[in-house]
Every structure is written in C-alpha cells, then in structure tokens.
Amino acid sequence: MIAAAAPPALWRAFFRSPKAMVSAAGALLLIGAAFLAPITAPHEPFTLGTFNLMDSELPPAFMAGGDPRFLLGTDMQGRDVFSAILYGMRISLTVGFLAVTISAAVGTLIGLVAGYRGGLLDAVLMRLADVILSFPTILIALLIAGIARAALPQAAAGEAAIAVLVFAIAINEWTQYARTVRGQTMVEARLDYVKAARVTGVADGTILRRHVLPNVVSPVIVIATINLALAILAEATLSFLGVGMPPTSPSLGTLIRIGNENLFSGVWWVVVFPAAALVLLVLCVNLFGDWLRDALNPRLN
Amino acid sequence: MPSTPASTEPRLCVRGLTVRYGEADAVKEVDLDAHAGEIVAIVGESGAGKTSIGAALLDLVDPPGRWNAERATLDGEPIDFARCHVRGRDISVIFQDPQTALNPLFSVEAQLTQMLRHHERVGERAAKARAVEMLEEVGIADAAARVRQFPHQFSGGMRQRVVIALAIACNPRLVIADEPTSALDVSVRGQVLDLIKRLARERGTAVLLITHDMAAVARIADRVAVMRYGNIVETASTADLMEHPQHPYAQMLIDAVPPGDRTISRFKVPDLAPAAHSGRSPDTWLRAEGRDSDTGAGANSGPVLQLEGVTKRFALSPGLFGRGGRILTAVDDVSFCIGRGEAFGLVGESGSGKSTIAQLVGALHAPDGGTITFAGKTLRKTSKSQALTAYRDGLQMIFQDPFSSLNRRMRVGDIIAEPILTRRTASRGEVGNIVGGLLERVGLPANAMHRYPHAFSGGQRQRIALARALAGRPRLLICDEPTSALDVSIQAQLLNLLMDLKDDLGLSLLFITHDLPVVRQVADRIGVMHRGRLVELAGADALFDTPKDPYTRTLMDELPHRHTHPHPAGAL
C-alpha cells in the first residue's frame, strides 16, 4: 500500500514540523499582505498626485533624517518604498500564481493523455517537451517578451505585460508537469483497477478523470508549490532585465531594477528592501514546497 | 527424526521464544526442536509469526522489535550472537527471493569465496576450488565455468541453487529456509526442495523450513509445527499431521489445501461469518434476463466465448517512435471455446501467454490474428472502440493482486457501483441497495461500502473485486490468478464462493492459474499453455489422470500428491 499520505496524516505531519509551520505562516503573511495591498499599504505609490517630490529619497523611518510616514523610506520620486513593495509583490504573486495554474493545468492534461494513449501522440508531445526543456527558461521568456514588446503598440504593451509574462513562464514550465504526470499515468494505467474499469466499458475520459487523475495529483501539487517560487523568480529576472513589468506598474523585479540604477547615489534602501522581500517570499514558498515534497513522498516516510 | 536417538541433545533447542514488536507479541513462548539432518517445517498463514522465529534465531529482528528466549541452544551450547561467525557458519539462511538475495555486482565466485574466507582460514585458491565444488554439489552443470558468472546470468531456479550453495558453504549446523520456493516457477520448485532435502540428509544439517506451502511441507519435511497468532498449535510428524491433524486450526488448514489427485465439490472451511442479512439478495437482479443482447436463441445455446486462431505479438525493444525492434509472440494460434455455465481452466508457467489471453478476451489488447467471439459479438484486429464497448457487455474480470485492483482513492461503494452506473443497469435510487446486496453476497457487511480499500485485508479486497465484477452482471468472468496472492484458507473460501456463484448464476468462468490443484477443483475443462501455444485441452479429470502432451506430463510430475506419504527419513 504505497499511497500518498492521507490528508489527516498530512495535517499531523504539518503540525509536527516547525519548518513547515514557519514557512507556511511566512508565505501566508506575505501573500495576504500583498493581495490586501490597497488596505495594508499606508500610501498609494502609483497614483499620481498622492506623492510629493519634496519627500524624495528620504531614508527609512528608523534612521536619522527619516520620516515616520515612510517606514522604509522613499524613492527618487518620493514614493513610499514599503507600499511599493506590497503592490509590487502583489503583481509578482499574480504572475506567479497565474503561470503556475496555467502550466499545471496544461501540463497535467498533456501528461495524462500522453501517458494513457502512448504511441505516436505520446512520442510527439514528449519530443516537443524535450525541445522546450533544452532551452533555458529565461531565454524563451526573453524571446516571447521581446516579441510581444515589438509587436504590441507601446500603450498596449504595458497593459498586456502580465499576460505576456504569464505566457512566457508557463510555456516552459508545463513540461515538468507533463513529464511527471505522464510517467505516473503510465504506472497507474497498468494497474488492475484501470483494467477493471476498461473491461467494464468506462469511457477513457472518465477513467482518466475518476481513476487516474486522483492518483497522480500529489506530485503535481508539489511541483506547483516549488514552481511558484521559480515563477516569481523568473518574473523578477525578466522585470529586472527590463522586459517585464513597466515602471508604471512595477513588480518586485522592476523595483529592484529601478533601485539598482540609483544604488551608487547612496539610496540603498530603494533596492535592498524590495530585494529582501523577494528573497523572503521565495524562501518561504520554497521551504514549504520542500517540506510538502518530503511529506507526500511515500519512499521517504 | 526416527533415526536420532532420543537421549542425545537436539541440534536446535528453543524454549519460550518470544518476539515482540511494540505492544504486540508476534511470537509467544514458542518451543521448538530440530535434530541433525531433520527438516522441521513451520507452517501458518501470513501474520502467524513464522518468519519472526527465523529472524529471532538469526538475531535479525528489526528494531524496535525485540526477542528473548528462556533457552536457545545449538548442540547444547547457547547461541551467542556476540561471538562472531554465528551467522553464516553456525546458522545460515536461504531467502525467499533469489533475485535480491545475491549481490548483482559480484560474480558468484566472489560471493562464495568471500563467505568461505570470512568464516574459515582458507587461502584464495582453496576457496575458489571449494566454490566450484559447492556449485557442483547444488547441481549446477559446468560449475567451473559458471562460477565466474554474475547472478543475472542464472535463471530463477539456478539462482536459488546458488543461494543454497552460499547457505551451506561453511557447513552450518542449522539452515533457516524462509519460503525458499515461493518466488520460483512451479516447474523448478520440486527440484529445489529435493535439493534442500538431499543436502540436509547428506550433511546432517538441521533445516527449519518456513513456508505457507503445504505441498512443499508434504514433499520434504519430517516434522511440522503449525503456527497461528504467534503460537504453535500443533507439532507432529508430517504424515501424522496430513492424515490426522489434532488441532481444529490444523485440520482446517489441511482441508483448505486443494488436493491434486481428486476433485472435491467444496472445501471444508468455515465461510466468513455470514453478514447480518438484510434480505436484499441481488440474485434476481443478477439473473435479470431480457438484456438486449439476450434476444436470439443463439446466445443461449452456443458457446459463450469462442477463440479461433488467436495470435498476439509484442514488440520487445521499441524503436524511437515505438516501432520496429524485436517481436515476441505471446499467444500463438490459440483456439478454444467456453460453454454457458462452464468453468474453463488455463494453466501454464509464467510467460506462457495465459495472462495475455485473459487480456485479449477482456479486450484490453486487440489480437494480431484470429477472432474472439463473446456472446455473438466478434472482436478482431480492426475493431473500433464502439465495437469494443459493445463486446465487453457481460464480461468482467478479477485480478491477482488485491492491492492494485481497487482504486485506493475511491470508496468501496463507488467502486462497486461503477459497472452499474456505466451500463445503466439500475436506476440511481436502486444502486445503494444492489451494492449492499452484492457485498453481502460475497460475505462482507453492507456497510463496507462507506470505507476505503485500505481498511480491508487481501482476501476481503478480493471479495470486493468480485462484487464489482458481479455488478457488471457478467455471463463470463475472467479470473486471472485470483487466489495466488492469498493465504490457503482464504483461497479455499474464495474458491468456494466462486463455485457457488457459478452454480447459482450460471456464470461461465475463464480461470487462469499456475496452480494445478486449484484448477482441478474449479475447472470443468482445462487447457495447458506452453510458450504461447495451447499444447493440450481436456476434461479436468482426464487431464490429470491421463496427460497426453509431454509438457503436461512434466507439470503433473510436480504435483504434491505423489509425495503425500513421505518415507521415514531412515529409509533413505
């Protein structure tokens, strides 16, 4: 009986693991604060007229010359860094969640079909995945983001930035789900309960949905958690390189890029705090993903 | 053993042996003796604690398990595991699976010489010479050349001989053989057992044969200890136990063993406590005629299933896009038919193609040649998926492995309801009642439907699989080794149940097994498969009493009934 840990057992394991609890709490706190940015942020940094050039380049509140209104200081245009981080994280997380959801759904579907059908369809889909996997993620993403930038008019490019980023990241990551699900599907499809369903005359689609999918879904959840961190990083990288979110609606990566350009003028807080937020977010998600992978892996139990 | 004077100290003497895992005692205060040259069998069903005895005598009880004994001596000296050389030289072991008992990275010679040089002061050259001798002694031809080979170059039976050579290399005083033949093909089991017996006699080694296989016990054991729930309930000479078992459990165990030499109508085993019957017998629903395929008289008179010249090939090493490569002909021009209400047995070794036939009949593979006709609908190479669905109506299958045959993420009730809902043979409102009735029909309580498969034992899961098959209202039930993963008493109960269902419902059976005594009890006619071909087809009694094909005869020679009355050891 090598099944994945049943949900109650998983909860018990969760409450016994400090690593799991701390990382989950950290991730939830950051994610919650980011998505509730309009409530949690003290300022609206991207609404013109709510910030004042007079407040530009103020150091964090706890330093000499700091202003208590701006906890982590302000940037070159007088925007509150703390609020910018919250709004930026919201964009980063949106891109991450969308990319993961789309790639997991597409990859799982392709993996199920390829693994169950086999034959030529399987061969073609998996060679396609091999080709995609042989390109570095960032290269494909740069390519797509670059094309989108050139193809779309300047105004639309800003609007479509999130969609372009999600697509650029998802097109690479579906392959991981597809490969894992395909392998697992091939194992499950050979088991007798699937044969019994086939002999009974259950339609293939129903077999995949009712029998195979529930038995292959736990690795998908693990990959999705770990890939959320990767997607956030990919988004940050693209934005840092200038092909991601525009400065008018900056993500964490954009904030780091803007801050980086001014690093040597001494306003370190503009780059250090967004970068720290990014590291903290990715670390929490990653630690939780690691724990989930171990907890759901029957061989390690 | 009769030839051993009663006054001498037995080779192995164990008193009050207890093995404990956590709070549960796997073995409770067991006493056991074995004399030099004697084979003592410890029999019992899974969980009886027989393997724990072997583990304790080797001091290999896995922590947190613990063992202790008031007395455990070899030739009167206490077994002291703090001393080195106890394991391997004084006590050695033959494991169940020769596949994993040998290190695949070292040659047989390296493994044998390491054993010899570790325990005895012998030089490299002498050890190598001894290794060859050992292989010769266990009956491996061309030992001088084969000793340099690696484990994967030996067949299963030969590999087990190598394991035996390792076990006896240092002349141990006691050998513990833990299910030494369960992982082997039927046709080589007898030879390996005979080898163990010969070596025990010639070398005066005491052997503890731990097994669930009563045929193996009958073939080589001198005395038998019957275990249940960690206790030895009866110890007797093999002949006495087989003829006059005293303890009710021993009696039941003997009765549950299918005899190879005669046909009995039902096994004398207590059926599962009949569940509190709610009176909703599913039999009327199961027998409901007037199914659309049942119209013509043709469906009722002719055979239910007919195979004509069926051939199936598999590609062994698929190319880049799944084409090309070597071809294995798994089923080669096989023809037979099964009548209404008939049980047809198909026997053969692993790899003989019998399971492929099950899958072909179940339309899980398309035949490469020939036709399969079931209830008037014909399946051939070119059949489309719609035709497959129509063909499969009235066909159900039960499988060997009770753990993989049920979806672990579905409730038992949903598992059993699936065939009903798929074929729409009952309205949604009736399904719950029918599922409950089916569960009771196979000897499980109706409320089992609310639980998941992991809550049930192997035998219970096999009953659930049977209930699911019945829910498809089958005319033909394909049984692919349905009992080979089960304990003998559970097997007897399931076989009784199958035979009852066959009689009550007029069910046709295609019963596939490697176990000849089992197929004799179940089948009306039997086909023998060998390397993809059907080499003989005859009525069950005719096949067993007067086998015609030479391969069938070699199979029959392995049957235990020719060995049920072992000669006293002294007569050898």
Side-chain angles (χ1 to χ4, degrees):
Chain A
M1 269 268 307
I2 306 153
L10 196 63
W11 280 115
R12 239 175 293 131
F14 178 79
F15 286 113
R16 269 204 309 267
S17 162
K19 171 180 157 187
M21 285 192 289
V22 169
S23 60
L28 279 179
L29 188 74
L30 290 171
I31 292 170
F35 279 104
L36 299 175
I39 301 164
T40 50
H43 301 270
E44 282 183 50
F46 306 113
T47 312
L48 284 169
T50 58
F51 53 86
N52 192 337
L53 265 179
M54 295 297 291
D55 296 329
S56 70
E57 298 188 17
L58 287 174
F62 49 82
M63 282 174 61
D67 186 321
R69 285 181 299 153
F70 306 109
L71 180 64
L72 300 178
T74 59
D75 68 0
M76 288 60 67
Q77 286 144 344
R79 295 184 294 195
D80 177 34
V81 170
F82 179 63
S83 305
I85 287 173
L86 289 177
Y87 278 93
M89 199 160 13
R90 183 159 80 145
I91 290 173
S92 293
L93 280 166
T94 306
V95 171
F97 276 119
L98 282 177
V100 162
T101 310
I102 290 170
S103 56
V106 171
T108 305
L109 188 68
I110 288 178
L112 279 173
V113 172
Y116 191 68
R117 270 285 150 75
L120 192 64
L121 179 71
D122 175 39
V124 169
L125 286 170
M126 285 304 117
R127 291 307 82 78
L128 178 68
D130 288 344
V131 170
I132 290 182
L133 274 178
S134 59
F135 286 101
T137 310
I138 224 65
L139 212 63
I140 294 191
L142 272 174
L143 193 71
I144 290 169
I147 291 172
R149 225 153 229 266
L152 297 170
Q154 189 66 43
E159 301 287 307
I162 287 187
V164 170
L165 279 170
V166 166
F167 181 67
I169 295 167
I171 198 156
N172 218 286
E173 292 196 337
W174 70 266
T175 53
Q176 289 183 42
Y177 302 93
R179 285 183 146 200
T180 310
V181 169
R182 168 183 174 266
Q184 202 64 37
T185 301
M186 292 174 94
V187 172
E188 294 291 327
R190 253 180 237 132
L191 293 184
D192 292 337
Y193 72 87
V194 174
K195 287 187 200 158
R198 287 173 64 197
V199 170
T200 297
V202 181
D204 284 347
T206 314
I207 291 181
L208 282 180
R209 179 169 45 80
R210 193 188 295 162
H211 292 285
V212 181
L213 182 61
N215 285 297
V216 302
V217 82
S218 39
V220 171
I221 293 168
V222 172
I223 300 177
T225 315
I226 293 168
N227 272 7
L228 176 63
L230 288 177
I232 292 169
L233 282 181
E235 187 280 329
T237 311
L238 290 173
S239 296
F240 182 79
L241 293 174
V243 291
M245 297 305 296
T248 46
S249 52
S251 70
L252 285 178
T254 321
L255 289 177
I256 295 170
R257 173 166 63 92
I258 299 169
N260 196 41
E261 285 163 2
N262 298 287
L263 188 60
F264 295 106
S265 58
V267 278
W268 55 268
W269 55 89
V270 182
V271 64
V272 165
F273 291 119
L278 179 68
V279 169
L280 201 61
L281 176 66
V282 170
L283 188 68
C284 285
V285 174
N286 255 341
L287 282 177
F288 182 71
D290 278 349
W291 170 82
L292 195 65
R293 184 190 55 206
D294 294 348
L296 285 175
N297 187 342
R299 265 166 302 179
L300 292 178
N301 279 342
Chain B
M1 187 164 106
S3 59
T4 312
S7 58
T8 59
E9 184 80 22
R11 172 57 61 83
L12 170 74
C13 176
V14 174
R15 293 290 175 269
L17 174 69
T18 298
V19 182
R20 166 173 289 227
Y21 295 99
E23 291 303 298
D25 286 346
V27 177
K28 298 166 198 159
E29 301 277 318
V30 158
D31 301 341
L32 198 66
D33 287 340
H35 294 271
E38 188 185 31
I39 299 177
V40 177
I42 304 176
V43 299
E45 301 183 285
S46 41
K50 52 192 196 300
T51 295
S52 294
I53 290 185
L57 292 177
L58 288 158
D59 195 25
L60 289 177
V61 176
D62 288 326
R66 282 170 296 123
W67 71 280
N68 58 67
E70 288 160 25
R71 181 183 154 91
T73 58
L74 268 187
D75 293 324
E77 309 157 21
I79 308 174
D80 176 11
F81 288 99
R83 246 177 54 230
C84 63
H85 298 306
V86 171
R87 263 180 255 158
R89 201 182 61 189
D90 290 339
I91 306 177
S92 71
V93 61
I94 301 170
F95 291 104
Q96 173 174 357
D97 190 356
Q99 202 90 312
T100 52
L102 296 172
N103 187 331
L105 294 179
F106 291 96
S107 69
V108 166
E109 184 177 53
Q111 302 189 41
L112 274 166
T113 50
Q114 185 206 12
M115 179 88 178
L116 288 164
R117 297 200 62 188
H118 180 72
H119 290 298
E120 295 174 20
R121 292 175 185 282
V122 287
E124 182 78 29
R125 187 170 299 197
K128 284 186 175 172
R130 278 272 296 281
V132 176
E133 280 170 37
M134 294 313 306
L135 284 198
E136 279 168 354
E137 183 154 4
V138 296
I140 291 179
D142 198 14
R146 299 213 72 182
V147 75
R148 288 180 214 285
Q149 292 186 326
F150 287 82
H152 70 267
Q153 290 168 299
F154 291 80
S155 69
M158 285 296 148
R159 219 178 284 149
Q160 193 65 311
R161 286 170 188 267
V162 174
V163 173
I164 293 172
L166 266 172
I168 60 163
C170 299
N171 263 319
R173 291 187 269 183
L174 172 69
V175 170
I176 295 169
D178 192 350
E179 303 275 8
T181 54
S182 313
L184 303 181
D185 237 327
V186 215
S187 57
V188 298
R189 283 185 187 177
Q191 300 164 15
V192 169
L193 288 169
D194 291 346
L195 172 68
I196 293 174
K197 179 166 182 168
R198 179 169 64 80
L199 292 169
R201 295 289 189 266
E202 286 176 4
R203 296 171 161 252
T205 309
V207 176
L208 279 189
L209 175 70
I210 296 167
T211 186
H212 67 276
D213 181 0
M214 294 305 281
V217 171
R219 189 166 183 134
I220 66 166
D222 302 304
R223 277 192 306 126
V224 188
V226 181
M227 282 198 81
R228 189 188 200 192
Y229 304 143
N231 296 303
I232 290 182
V233 296
E234 182 170 354
T235 310
S237 78
T238 306
D240 278 352
L241 185 85
M242 295 290 172
E243 302 293 327
H244 316 286
Q246 301 297 316
H247 191 277
Y249 177 72
Q251 173 80 52
M252 194 277 291
L253 210 56
I254 302 291
D255 285 340
V257 177
D261 53 351
R262 60 183 196 281
T263 310
I264 52 175
S265 69
R266 293 290 187 272
F267 294 94
K268 282 185 282 179
V269 289
D271 202 8
L272 277 195
H277 261 278
S278 51
R280 40 185 184 187
S281 162
D283 283 24
T284 22
W285 177 80
L286 281 170
R287 261 191 240 105
E289 295 291 330
R291 289 183 260 168
D292 48 356
S293 52
D294 247 340
T295 40
N300 284 329
S301 57
V304 168
L305 178 78
Q306 188 151 20
L307 276 75
E308 275 178 85
V310 170
T311 300
K312 178 69 192 175
R313 288 180 285 268
F314 290 109
L316 282 186
S317 46
L320 182 63
F321 284 92
R323 274 145 220 265
R326 283 197 304 133
I327 301 290
L328 169 84
T329 304
V331 175
D332 192 359
D333 192 20
V334 168
S335 305
F336 64 86
C337 62
I338 302 179
R340 198 181 172 78
E342 185 188 30
F344 185 87
L346 208 52
V347 297
E349 292 175 50
S350 54
S352 62
K354 53 191 197 306
S355 282
T356 308
I357 289 190
Q359 310 219 336
L360 287 168
V361 173
L364 296 171
H365 294 302
D368 289 319
T371 58
I372 303 171
T373 306
F374 169 64
K377 287 153 297 190
T378 300
L379 185 74
R380 41 173 66 88
K381 190 178 180 177
T382 51
S383 295
K384 295 276 176 297
S385 70
Q386 249 175 338
L388 287 185
T389 311
Y391 164 89
R392 286 173 179 146
D393 192 11
L395 197 73
Q396 281 293 332
M397 207 161 168
I398 54 178
F399 301 89
Q400 172 174 1
D401 178 10
F403 293 92
S404 74
S405 66
L406 305 175
N407 186 344
R408 54 191 181 270
R409 307 253 174 196
M410 277 168 83
R411 285 176 203 277
V412 167
D414 295 328
I415 289 172
I416 297 173
E418 184 164 57
I420 306 172
L421 296 172
T422 304
R423 294 283 174 188
R424 297 200 181 83
T425 44
S427 68
R428 273 189 179 273
E430 295 169 306
V431 169
N433 258 331
I434 294 173
V435 168
L438 287 170
L439 277 167
E440 289 179 350
R441 191 70 176 82
V442 299
L444 290 171
N447 63 18
M449 69 173 85
H450 304 299
R451 305 166 74 183
Y452 285 91
H454 66 77
F456 298 91
S457 69
Q460 290 172 321
R461 283 157 178 253
Q462 220 47 339
R463 287 167 185 267
I464 294 169
L466 186 55
R468 170 181 59 191
L470 289 177
R473 286 211 289 208
R475 297 136 171 270
L476 175 68
L477 184 60
I478 307 166
C479 309
D480 190 358
E481 303 263 13
T483 61
S484 38
L486 303 179
D487 274 326
V488 64
S489 64
I490 310 292
Q491 162 176 286
Q493 290 172 343
L494 196 77
L495 291 176
N496 278 350
L497 176 60
L498 265 178
M499 291 189 273
D500 286 345
L501 288 168
K502 170 183 165 254
D503 291 351
D504 294 353
L505 303 170
L507 203 61
S508 305
L509 299 180
L510 171 56
F511 194 93
I512 289 163
T513 183
H514 65 273
D515 192 328
L516 292 165
V518 164
V519 81
R520 175 159 203 175
Q521 308 313 319
V522 176
D524 303 313
R525 284 188 307 139
I526 299 172
V528 182
M529 295 282 297
H530 183 48
R531 298 190 180 159
R533 305 189 72 94
L534 191 64
V535 294
E536 185 164 359
L537 198 165
D541 289 338
L543 186 88
F544 276 80
D545 297 336
T546 52
K548 294 202 173 55
D549 182 84
Y551 175 71
T552 314
R553 261 181 258 140
T554 60
L555 280 184
M556 295 302 164
D557 284 342
E558 293 297 320
L559 273 183
H561 70 265
R562 327 233 153 170
H563 307 273
T564 26
H565 307 290
H567 301 289
L572 270 176

